[in-house]
Amino acid sequence: MDVGSGTGVLAMFAAKAGARKVYAVEGSSIANLAKELVKSNGLEEVVTVIHRRVEDLGVEEIEKVDIIISEFMGFYLLHESMLDSVIAARDKFLKPGGLMLPSVARIYSAPVSLPSMWKENVEIWIDVDQTYGLDLSGVVEPTLKTLTLSPKVDECVPQEGLGSEPQLVWEADLTTVEAKALETVDRRMTFPVTPKALLHGLCVWFDVQGIGKTSGTLLSTSPWSEPTHWKQTVVIFGRQLQMSEGQPVLGCHLVFGKTEKPRQYMIGLELFDPS
């Protein structure tokens, strides 16, 4: 079963790989295009496109499956992701001992220095050469408020911009994780930072593992991996943080919490003194 199949590409790959039967479950109208593509590839005898939400699909309507595949990931893994739907599909349709692909998901974070972003968004308003002699410093406060309330989900962070080794924020075994575990992710972290680092925010990214925690193909969206369309997410501190020689550790309290809107999260970040 391919959950959130979209155009049916993964479902067709599964058929090409030798699957006897593949259910491509897609809740949106793009399911109609998936049906056309399956037919044009001569796979309609193997791939059945189901234009329904997997949550609305009854257990008596299709047979149980050996493998569930899904490209469910959203920004920083959770935002606008389909992991809830994947868990629902697993609980209803996966045979005992069946495989989840991917099977493990992890979120990581590290403090980051982004001087160009800071200059383009903040310092430009206090540089009179950029403002043609006008005092526009009053724009700084609302700009910082907007930046802190709206994490930048489309940043390509250079590896050299990280101010510390990354830490694991959250890990989930997708064969066993429950939907309630997605409601809130709460992690307090301390980062040994580069001396005299100039920091602007917390960089967040994710990895997914194919089969198990130590085997299978790894998809990483980290700053040192090949760029993906997920890029990285940066949660801005709200102030430029100049670390001193006597301040070698940065404390960060990061929280992801579900909102009333489906598949959307609020991100909370608080800095604390780890001493």
Side-chain angles (χ1 to χ4, degrees):
M1 176 183 285
D2 178 12
V3 180
S5 189
T7 56
V9 170
L10 290 183
M12 290 188 282
F13 280 150
K16 291 283 190 179
R20 175 182 62 84
K21 184 66 179 177
V22 182
Y23 298 107
V25 184
E26 172 56 47
S28 74
S29 60
I30 201 171
N32 297 320
L33 176 59
K35 291 178 182 179
E36 294 178 14
L37 295 174
V38 167
K39 184 176 181 180
S40 66
N41 281 276
L43 296 171
E44 62 268 40
E45 295 299 317
V46 178
V47 179
T48 297
V49 178
I50 301 174
H51 186 185
R52 303 264 293 282
R53 294 191 328 136
V54 72
E55 291 89 343
D56 300 331
L57 194 59
V59 293
E60 73 285 348
E61 296 183 66
I62 62 172
E63 60 184 307
K64 291 205 170 186
V65 299
D66 299 294
I67 301 173
I68 290 178
I69 58 177
S70 181
E71 191 272 277
F72 65 84
M73 299 82 73
F75 295 119
Y76 59 86
L77 184 73
L78 297 175
H79 187 71
E80 296 185 349
S81 84
M82 292 187 55
L83 190 47
D84 296 80
S85 297
V86 172
I87 292 172
R90 179 202 68 196
D91 292 346
K92 289 200 293 184
F93 299 112
L94 187 64
K95 292 179 181 178
L99 293 178
M100 299 288 293
L101 296 176
S103 64
V104 177
R106 304 180 183 94
I107 302 174
Y108 293 91
S109 70
V112 64
S113 177
L114 294 172
S116 295
M117 180 280 298
W118 192 262
K119 182 176 181 179
E120 293 170 4
N121 289 273
V122 180
E123 291 183 353
I124 187 174
W125 300 112
I126 54 178
D127 184 346
V128 292
D129 290 334
Q130 294 289 327
T131 59
Y132 301 96
L134 296 177
D135 178 5
L136 299 181
S137 58
V139 179
V140 171
E141 185 176 347
T143 297
L144 286 175
K145 184 176 181 180
T146 299
L147 287 173
T148 54
L149 291 177
S150 304
K152 299 176 75 64
V153 297
D154 58 352
E155 285 291 312
C156 284
V157 174
Q159 181 179 352
E160 59 272 18
L162 298 183
S164 175
E165 290 295 314
Q167 290 200 27
L168 180 66
V169 176
W170 188 72
E171 180 178 51
D173 180 343
L174 302 187
T175 64
T176 58
V177 67
E178 298 293 334
K180 63 182 180 181
L182 308 180
E183 293 177 0
T184 304
V185 174
D186 190 321
R187 181 86 158 87
R188 288 174 68 88
M189 299 164 285
T190 54
F191 296 94
V193 296
T194 304
K196 297 185 179 180
L198 185 63
L199 303 175
H200 301 98
L202 195 67
C203 180
V204 183
W205 65 91
F206 69 87
D207 295 346
V208 290
Q209 198 83 31
I211 303 174
K213 293 186 177 182
T214 58
S215 62
T217 301
L218 176 69
L219 168 66
S220 176
T221 63
S222 74
W224 51 85
S225 299
E226 288 293 322
T228 69
H229 78 270
W230 290 282
K231 302 181 182 179
Q232 291 90 41
T233 295
V234 176
V235 188
I236 305 300
F237 287 156
R239 60 188 174 93
Q240 191 167 235
L241 192 60
Q242 177 71 68
M243 305 299 289
S244 66
E245 289 282 3
Q247 189 183 12
V249 180
L250 176 67
C252 295
H253 184 194
L254 181 64
V255 179
F256 301 113
K258 271 194 171 183
T259 70
E260 295 179 354
K261 295 182 178 180
R263 296 174 180 159
Q264 289 196 14
Y265 284 75
M266 289 290 292
I267 301 180
L269 176 64
E270 181 182 12
L271 303 182
F272 65 90
D273 183 355
S275 62

